[in-house]
Structure formats: structure tokens, C-alpha cells
Amino acid sequence: ETNTLPFQPFENQEGDVLRVEKEHQVLKEQLKEAEEKFQQLQSRSLEETGALEELLKKSVEETEVSQNELDWFHQDSEAQMKKWQQEKKEARDNLKALRSTVKKHTDTNERYLKTIEDKEKQYNVYLNTFLDTSNKFANEKVKLEELIKKSQDDCQECVKRAVKAEMSVLQNWKETEVWRLSGTIAKAETNLRILKALSSSASAAPVLKSQIDSWQTFISNVKKQLEKVEAEYEEKIELVRSGARISLGKVENVDVPSP
């Protein structure tokens, strides 16, 4: 996320600032080459001028040289001088143009540097604000995590208490139902013993036999119902102890009609 997107408004696309800096460097190199060329041209022109002046001096001293040749020499020297002056003027114009371009790019570069410096200051302000906010959120996060952990611990404690309460309720229901069915069985067995005692009489035995059979069947059914109730309550208690969610309700019990 660092320096990979165009830096608006100074870049329309990624790398515009770097490209301007590269163009600035190229122009500096071109300016250096132009100055070197100008110095070489000036040196060569001085040498040529010196040679021409020497030739002129020699021509004047030599009386054998004709006036036409002397005129031609002057013309040629003037032509060379004009040519050199023209080249010198062109070199100066090019140098002036290059200096103007360099100044323009230098001003632009300074303006970009100033803008970058301002943006860096603004970025540092935003960064400090972000760090402060981040630290604040981090502190709040730690507090929230502590509250969540405490809530989770409280929730687990509540779950444990709820499990104990559900197991206690189921155990009470179981004991109540077992006590009720056991009492029913005890009363039925008492009635059965009375009937068996009465049936010892030969005259009463045929009459009481069907009642004795009914009570024995009743006691057997109630015992089965007792075993069923105990098993179902134990199953529910084990499910609650293991953490399973069940519908907390009494075991359905079908009352066996007594004889």
C-alpha cells in the first residue's frame, strides 16, 4: 500500500513524478553537453581565428601575394568569421533555451517537493490521530474481552447451576413418582394378602380367586410402570448431566386402574 498508487493531483498515473525527475536529469546532461560543445566550438574558433590572423600577417608581409588573393583571403576570412558567429549565436540561443527549460523544470520540481512536504506533514497528523484512535480501540477491546470472559465464566456457572437445578427437579419428580407407585404397590400387596387370607376358607376360595388374580396382575403392571418411570427419569438425568438440551417435563405415566 506504499507508493503504489498515483499521487493526486501531481500524478495522473503511477510514476509521473519519477518521470519528471528523469526528464530533469536528462535536460541537465543535455545542458552539460551543450556547454562542452560550446567550449569546444569557442576553442576551435579561437584557433581558427589565430590561424587566419597568422595567415593574414604572413600574406601582408609577403609582397608576392596579389591583391586579388588578398581580397579573396579577406572574403574567406569574413565568411569563416560570419559562419563562426552564426554558430556561436545558435549555440547561445540553444543554451538560453536549455537554461529556460531547466529553470522551468527546477521550479516545477521545487513546487512538487513543497507539496510533498506539506502532504507528509498532513500524513503524519493523520497517522498520529490513527495511532491514538487505534490505542483507544485496543484498550476498549481489552476491556470488552475481559467483560466477555467474565460473562462467559458467569454463563458457565449459570449453566452448571441450571444443570444441577434440572437434575434436582428430575430427581424430585422421580422420587415422588417412585414413592407414589411404591405406595400403590404396598397397598395392593396388603389387599392381596387379605384376600389370600380370606380365600383359605373353602367356601370363599372360588369367589375370591378372580379378585386375587386381578390384584396380582395389577401389582405386576404397577411394578412395570415403576421400572419404566425410573428408567426414563434416569435417562433424562444422564442427558442433563452430559449437557444435552432436553424438554424439562415429567415422564408420562399411565395410571393402571386398580381392581
Side-chain angles (χ1 to χ4, degrees):
E1 298 176 0
T2 304
N3 297 334
T4 58
L5 297 176
F7 186 50
Q8 295 293 342
F10 310 107
E11 289 184 326
N12 293 325
Q13 59 184 2
E14 182 182 350
D16 281 350
V17 173
L18 293 177
R19 186 167 59 256
V20 169
E21 290 181 355
K22 290 180 179 180
E23 291 176 358
H24 176 65
Q25 185 65 28
V26 170
L27 289 174
K28 287 177 68 177
E29 292 176 358
Q30 290 178 356
L31 176 61
K32 183 178 179 182
E33 290 176 359
E35 289 177 347
E36 291 175 354
K37 183 177 179 182
F38 173 76
Q39 291 176 358
Q40 292 174 0
L41 182 61
Q42 188 178 28
S43 177
R44 187 173 69 249
S45 298
L46 291 174
E47 291 176 358
E48 291 177 355
T49 302
L52 290 174
E53 289 176 351
E54 194 69 24
L55 181 61
L56 178 61
K57 182 180 179 180
K58 184 179 180 180
S59 297
V60 171
E61 292 175 352
E62 294 177 354
T63 56
E64 292 86 2
V65 178
S66 64
Q67 186 64 38
N68 291 332
E69 290 177 347
L70 185 59
D71 294 339
W72 174 82
F73 174 77
H74 280 296
Q75 292 176 0
D76 185 65
S77 177
E78 290 176 358
Q80 291 292 335
M81 184 62 71
K82 289 180 179 180
K83 181 180 179 182
W84 174 79
Q85 289 178 349
Q86 183 64 29
E87 291 178 353
K88 183 179 180 180
K89 183 177 180 298
E90 292 176 355
R92 285 179 177 176
D93 292 340
N94 291 334
L95 181 60
K96 183 178 179 181
L98 288 174
R99 285 177 176 172
S100 177
T101 303
V102 169
K103 186 178 185 302
K104 178 181 178 182
H105 287 293
T106 301
D107 294 340
T108 302
N109 190 34
E110 290 178 354
R111 188 169 63 253
Y112 285 164
L113 290 175
K114 178 71 169 53
T115 303
I116 291 172
E117 183 179 357
D118 294 339
K119 292 297 181 181
E120 285 181 349
K121 291 179 180 178
Q122 186 178 6
Y123 167 77
N124 290 329
V125 173
Y126 289 157
L127 179 61
N128 292 331
T129 303
F130 167 76
L131 292 176
D132 292 339
T133 306
S134 178
N135 292 333
K136 185 186 298 182
F137 285 158
N139 294 331
E140 291 180 358
K141 180 182 177 183
V142 171
K143 292 179 181 179
L144 289 175
E145 288 176 347
E146 292 176 353
L147 289 175
I148 290 171
K149 185 177 183 303
K150 184 177 182 302
S151 298
Q152 289 176 344
D153 294 340
D154 294 342
C155 180
Q156 290 178 357
E157 185 63 27
C158 290
V159 170
K160 290 180 181 178
R161 291 202 303 270
V163 169
K164 288 181 181 179
E166 290 179 357
M167 291 175 61
S168 177
V169 169
L170 291 172
Q171 186 67 29
N172 289 333
W173 285 348
K174 171 191 169 185
E175 291 175 356
T176 301
E177 194 64 23
V178 168
W179 178 82
R180 186 181 68 81
L181 292 175
S182 297
T184 301
I185 292 172
K187 290 179 181 179
E189 288 177 344
T190 300
N191 292 335
L192 182 61
R193 284 196 300 271
I194 294 172
L195 289 174
K196 285 183 178 181
L198 293 174
S199 67
S200 60
S201 173
S203 61
V207 177
L208 298 176
K209 185 177 184 307
S210 61
Q211 294 186 22
I212 291 172
D213 292 340
S214 297
W215 279 104
Q216 287 177 339
T217 302
F218 173 74
I219 292 171
S220 177
N221 291 334
V222 174
K223 286 181 177 181
K224 290 179 181 179
Q225 186 68 22
L226 176 61
E227 292 175 357
K228 175 178 176 295
V229 168
E230 285 183 326
E232 291 186 6
Y233 272 116
E234 284 298 329
E235 181 181 0
K236 282 193 172 189
I237 290 172
E238 287 301 321
L239 288 174
V240 171
R241 183 181 288 112
S242 64
R245 295 294 183 88
I246 65 172
S247 176
L248 190 63
K250 292 183 178 181
V251 174
E252 184 178 356
N253 183 23
V254 178
D255 291 331
V256 180
S258 61

